[in-house]
């Protein structure tokens, strides 16, 4: 069963609507413009509930207005949102685009040999579904979920926090709700969309040895290369809790 739109923040609602109902990129963009254009105090109640394309047509007939969203405007792609955020905060980076690479194996075909450590990112939930964790580690390393559970348990209990219990991969719905992302494009830059700072980030301790790191800019058709120190500055600005995991 799909979660209702009211459970998402406004920026995430647009992404959910696009992912659920539309496949054409042009139509997705148009619907996003229509929905946000009508999103003011006079917007109809159905904007807060499950929405259909027919209802979106009713929004169109009500006219459009320009509305700013946190860290982005609605006509920005996910990649542009990330790059704009980094530029606004004077965080140095380089980026390049390439064909789609939803898996590490696919992405390796397009990554440049720039000396950076390319990272793999997985989004997990605890057994109760009330805690979510983003885990980043070296793309060439394997990650055993059971071992990770023990490492997370030790890390959390050392700070007097409850152990996460059994971990599992979070659903696409949860990924969209908390990170505003789709499977295949998971990245720490999704924390830009986590307005409530719900997601805790775990970074593998081996990443501390890297001079530069590489991540998707929330789109698997691009790569952002960023110095580790500048990446940590990004994390301090975005505000989510994070730690390196031994």
């Amino acid at each position: 069963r799909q979660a209702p739109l009211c459970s998402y923040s406004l920026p995430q609602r647009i992404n959910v609507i696009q992912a659920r109902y539309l496949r054409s990129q042009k139509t997705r963009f148009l619907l996003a413009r229509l929905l946000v254009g009508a999103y003011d105090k006079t917007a109809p109640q159905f904007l807060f509930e499950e929405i259909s394309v027919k209802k979106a047509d009713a929004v169109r007939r009500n006219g459009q207005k320009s509305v700013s969203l946190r860290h982005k405007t609605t006509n920005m792609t996910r990649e542009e949102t990330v790059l704009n955020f980094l530029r606004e905060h004077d965080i140095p980076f380089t980026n390049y685009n390439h064909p789609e690479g939803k898996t590490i194996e696919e992405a390796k075909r397009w990554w440049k040999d720039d000396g950076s450590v390319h990272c793999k990112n997985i989004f997990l939930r605890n057994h109760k579904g009330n805690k979510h964790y983003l885990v980043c580690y070296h793309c060439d390393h394997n990650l055993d979920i059971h071992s990770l559970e023990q490492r997370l348990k030790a890390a959390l209990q050392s700070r007097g926090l409850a152990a996460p219990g059994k971990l599992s991969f979070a659903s696409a719905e949860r990924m969209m709700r908390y990170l505003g992302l789709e499977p295949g494009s998971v990245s720490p830059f999704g924390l830009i969309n986590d307005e409530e700072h719900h997601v805790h980030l775990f970074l593998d301790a081996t990443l501390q040895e890297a001079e530069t790191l590489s991540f998707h800019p929330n789109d698997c058709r691009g790569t952002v290369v960023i110095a580790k120190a500048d990446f940590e500055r990004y994390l301090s600005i975005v505000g989510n809790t994070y730690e390196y995991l031994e």
Side-chain angles (χ1 to χ4, degrees):
R1 181 182 177 183
Q2 295 179 329
L5 286 178
C6 60
S7 62
Y8 299 94
S9 65
L10 173 56
Q12 293 168 349
R13 287 175 196 171
I14 302 303
N15 291 332
V16 172
I17 292 167
Q18 292 175 340
R20 287 183 184 175
Y21 301 107
L22 298 170
R23 295 188 179 183
S24 164
Q25 183 176 3
K26 181 178 180 180
T27 310
R28 286 185 180 189
F29 174 74
L30 176 61
L31 181 59
R33 287 285 303 274
L34 298 180
L35 290 175
V36 176
Y39 199 94
D40 58 16
K41 292 182 180 180
T42 64
Q45 181 63 28
F46 67 77
L47 283 177
F48 299 88
E49 303 168 349
E50 292 297 339
I51 188 167
S52 67
V53 175
K54 288 184 178 180
K55 289 181 178 177
D57 290 336
V59 177
R60 176 179 55 80
R61 291 192 295 270
N62 289 335
Q64 300 180 0
K65 291 183 180 180
S66 176
V67 176
S68 296
L69 303 179
R70 180 187 184 226
H71 305 315
K72 62 182 179 181
T73 56
T74 57
N75 61 344
M76 283 189 182
T77 65
R78 293 176 185 174
E79 179 179 11
E80 289 170 340
T81 298
V82 172
L83 303 186
N84 187 59
F85 182 94
L86 296 176
R87 293 187 184 109
E88 283 182 350
H89 294 89
D90 296 319
I91 299 175
F93 67 93
T94 59
N95 68 292
Y96 57 93
N97 294 102
H98 48 70
E100 185 177 82
K102 288 189 174 183
T103 67
I104 294 298
E105 290 70 25
E106 292 176 350
K108 281 183 175 181
R109 298 171 57 191
W110 315 117
W111 284 338
K112 293 183 178 180
D113 185 15
D114 52 21
S116 65
V117 172
H118 297 281
C119 297
K120 186 172 184 177
N121 310 279
I122 59 175
F123 188 49
L124 303 172
R125 53 167 287 184
N126 67 347
H127 67 292
K128 292 184 178 179
N130 61 350
K131 300 289 184 181
H132 293 80
Y133 309 99
L134 180 59
V135 182
C136 302
Y137 58 100
H138 195 298
C139 69
D140 289 331
H141 296 174
N142 293 320
L143 185 67
D144 178 73
I145 295 296
H146 179 70
S147 173
L148 178 62
E149 289 175 357
Q150 301 305 312
R151 293 164 66 189
L152 293 185
K153 178 179 179 180
L156 294 173
Q157 288 184 335
S158 68
R159 295 188 284 116
L161 302 176
K166 183 176 178 57
L167 296 175
S168 60
F169 291 101
S171 66
E173 286 286 332
R174 289 174 181 268
M175 188 181 297
M176 180 61 70
R177 177 177 181 180
Y178 293 108
L179 296 177
L181 302 179
E182 298 174 347
S185 298
V186 181
S187 160
F189 294 124
L191 298 176
I192 293 172
N193 299 318
D194 183 15
E195 298 180 351
E196 297 180 355
H197 300 155
H198 171 83
V199 178
H200 182 74
L201 173 65
F202 283 105
L203 299 157
D204 189 89
T206 60
L207 298 182
Q208 291 179 295
E209 304 168 4
E211 292 186 7
T212 55
L213 302 169
S214 294
F215 304 99
H216 284 316
N218 295 345
D219 187 322
C220 62
R221 296 167 297 181
T223 295
V224 167
V225 181
I226 185 170
K228 181 177 68 67
D230 292 320
F231 176 66
E232 291 177 339
R233 188 157 69 88
Y234 155 75
L235 293 177
S236 68
I237 293 171
V238 81
N240 289 67
T241 55
Y242 76 94
E243 60 189 288
Y244 286 93
L245 190 63
E246 297 292 340

